[in-house]
Amino acid sequence: MLGKSLPVSCDGKQVIGREKPADILVPDASVSESHAEIELRGNQLAVRDLDSSNKVYDTGEPVAEALVNDGERFALG
């Protein structure tokens, strides 16, 4: 899924990962089983790395947590 974009909508906290029980499944080897957690905070999306092997990236830099505005992107793996 390298380079693919997926629209994300969020209702409460949701986990993004490669396998169930993740709420949002991303079937890619660079994504950990439970890779990141997202949560809506006001009008921004908070994304938090769940100690994944391949990290969460915001503006090309690995981050533990980031706030993402509508239309912006973050990356996994």
Side-chain angles (χ1 to χ4, degrees):
M1 295 209 46
L2 182 62
K4 295 260 185 178
S5 293
L6 301 171
V8 175
S9 60
C10 188
D11 183 25
K13 289 182 180 180
Q14 294 185 328
V15 173
I16 302 171
R18 187 177 66 236
E19 298 178 5
K20 289 280 187 188
D23 302 299
I24 301 170
L25 296 177
V26 180
D28 188 283
S30 68
V31 175
S32 297
E33 291 178 24
S34 294
H35 197 106
E37 180 181 81
I38 58 172
E39 175 183 23
L40 195 58
R41 292 188 191 160
N43 62 350
Q44 294 179 305
L45 186 71
V47 58
R48 182 173 61 93
D49 183 53
L50 296 176
D51 296 322
S52 65
S53 299
N54 294 325
K55 307 296 176 213
V56 171
Y57 293 85
D58 182 39
T59 62
E61 297 295 322
V63 295
E65 185 169 329
L67 292 175
V68 182
N69 293 305
D70 189 27
E72 293 181 342
R73 297 179 181 190
F74 64 91
L76 306 177

